Amino acid sequence: MRNGVVLVFVTCVCMALWTTGCSDKKPVAADTTAVDSVKVADTTTVDTLDRLISEQPMPKAADELFDDFIFNFAANRKLQMGRIKFPLKVVDGENVAYLEKKQWRMEHFFMEQGYYTLIFDNMKQMDVVKDTSINNVVVEKVYLAKEKVEKYMFERLNGRWMLTSIRNNDMVQNTNASFLAFYQKFASDPEFQLESLNNPVLFTGPDPDDDFSTMTGEIAPETWPAFAPELPSGFIYNIMYGQKYTEGNQKIFVMRGIANGMEMQLTFKRIDGEWKLTSLSE
């Protein structure tokens, strides 16, 4: 995920832009309200990074793994313009429009917030991230409060990843609709969050006495505030690498830091018809 130019980009932004510090234990959610209203906090910094990155060609190997490609695509303005199939088809309900090249605005995706999020049904689905044989990937931008989902449809054409269309849907049409509605309230309402904890919540995290070991334990509701992570509540991203979602009774919500490689997993299970947080792993 950090091949070629991405290494340069991550190093620069870790020091200059992203909210996730290089030494932080876990990814910290940015102020999603601010992100919703302002595309880029410091456009001068981002434009400078764009210029630096655009001078470096994307490694050919980056087209093998989608994660390598999307990081270059989101960071390199010149590359992005060359990897969009213009005129770009945009479907919004029954309305269809086509964007010309001159109408396109640089899309940085999750690069501005220093972490990205993923949703899986189970641990086995997580292996698909490393699959180099997939040819269709969807990057979802989920506006939780607005209950809208933007889907960026990528296809690998002649060995090159291309953005081929954008589709806008109501969140209720998403396969994860039930979980997304729950998550929005879980992330934004502290009282509801406490009510939605399984008792106990299983915890796995780094051992403070041994940098190479992890520790496990249980979190009771009364001690939750000491462990509760900051979660994005305005919008989240999800990348569909071809995994087939079901309504199901389990969802694994993953936050991955870009600058530091740290990861946090929250596992939710539907118990007696209600979603509950059952485990937290850092």
Side-chain angles (χ1 to χ4, degrees), residues 223-254:
T223 60
W224 174 249
F227 293 87
E230 291 185 58
L231 297 172
S233 59
F235 68 80
I236 59 174
Y237 288 94
N238 183 39
I239 303 178
M240 300 173 64
Y241 302 86
Q243 66 266 37
K244 302 298 182 182
Y245 290 116
T246 62
E247 275 290 337
N249 293 314
Q250 176 177 278
K251 298 293 177 183
I252 302 172
F253 184 79
V254 180

